[in-house]
Amino acid sequence: MKNLETRTSIRKYAQREVSNQLLHRLLSQAERTQTMGNLQLYSVVITRSEAQKAALAPAHFNQPMVTSAPVVLTFCADFRRTSRWAEERNAQPGYDNFLSFINAATDALLYCQTFCNLADEEGLGYCYLGTTVYMPKQIIDVLKLPKLVMPVATITLGWPDESPAQSDRLPLDAIIHDEHYEDYDRSRIDRFYTAKEKLPENQEFLRINNKETLAQIFTDIRYTKKDNEAMSEGLLETLKQQGFM
């Protein structure tokens, strides 16, 4: 059985059903996650059909696990349900703003992480798809998300059909700051990143991409300034479309 210390991202899944009973139990248990004002500002869309998975795949850059996983879960920041509750109870909601999106997105991401922890304990495998905020309009169209609902996280879910090695992590000293933030000078960067840079798999990345440093893999290929700016514009436009700005 997996836990946080042994977890890995699973991209290959066995042809074995994830029952609704199990899935709903884990989603229900995850509702004990902390939430702003006890409002539970999230919803999750469960996708099982081949047609819907195929429709979602382009928004996730057609990563194979989107169509091969038994289940795809889209976690949404959701202020629509709370707003509709207010309207039906003679109250005036004021949640069509960016702060409300941040609050709902935080709720949804916390809920998603709690669900992932519970899935680990059951022996399920999953992969977090960061592409959700890159192409939100397509996801909104496929899932028919109304105003004040915004997708913020997606995971593919199933029973593992692989045992990948764990990804490396930075040492704890790299991320903690006692009492105040201590900025990163050259010596600290060297201390925290040299081991990562020397990993054989990362050295291979440099070779096949003809790059000098591992950082260049991220800045020049994986997460470029041009792409970040273009997708930022798309994200802001979608937040406006969904009524959060």
Side-chain angles (χ1 to χ4, degrees), residues 38-203:
N38 198 29
L39 290 173
Q40 295 181 251
L41 304 172
Y42 50 79
S43 287
V44 56
V45 180
I46 303 168
T47 302
R48 289 184 180 273
S49 79
E50 299 302 319
Q52 279 289 80
K53 287 188 285 186
L56 282 173
H60 296 292
F61 299 171
N62 290 307
Q63 296 177 83
M65 57 273 198
V66 177
T67 52
S68 65
V71 182
V72 177
L73 300 176
T74 305
F75 294 82
C76 301
D78 185 349
F79 243 120
R80 183 173 182 83
R81 184 179 62 249
T82 301
S83 294
R84 289 291 300 121
W85 171 56
E87 290 165 352
E88 294 294 337
R89 297 296 185 268
N90 198 31
Q92 296 299 316
Y95 308 120
D96 53 347
N97 46 67
F98 186 65
L99 177 63
S100 295
F101 167 70
I102 291 296
N103 286 331
T106 300
D107 261 23
L109 292 171
L110 287 169
Y111 178 69
C112 175
Q113 184 58 64
T114 298
F115 174 83
C116 288
N117 293 345
L118 293 168
D120 276 327
E121 293 175 1
E122 288 291 333
L124 287 161
Y126 57 87
C127 184
Y128 177 89
L129 305 182
T131 43
T132 304
V133 293
Y134 294 171
M135 309 285 280
K137 287 185 179 180
Q138 288 181 255
I139 297 171
I140 287 166
D141 289 344
V142 172
L143 301 182
K144 300 180 180 179
L145 304 182
K147 293 270 189 178
L148 298 184
V149 181
M150 183 76 177
V152 294
T154 302
I155 66 168
T156 56
L157 182 75
W159 300 102
D161 194 30
E162 62 173 343
S163 298
Q166 282 190 300
S167 300
D168 65 284
R169 291 293 186 264
L170 294 172
L172 183 62
D173 284 349
I175 66 168
I176 61 174
H177 303 261
D178 290 325
E179 308 300 341
H180 61 82
Y181 193 96
E182 182 180 358
D183 206 357
Y184 297 92
D185 58 18
R186 179 63 179 267
S187 65
R188 296 189 79 212
I189 291 297
D190 288 346
R191 179 154 54 96
F192 297 146
Y193 283 89
T194 296
K196 175 190 285 284
E197 292 166 338
K198 288 184 176 180
L199 290 172
E201 57 267 34
N202 288 335
Q203 289 293 307

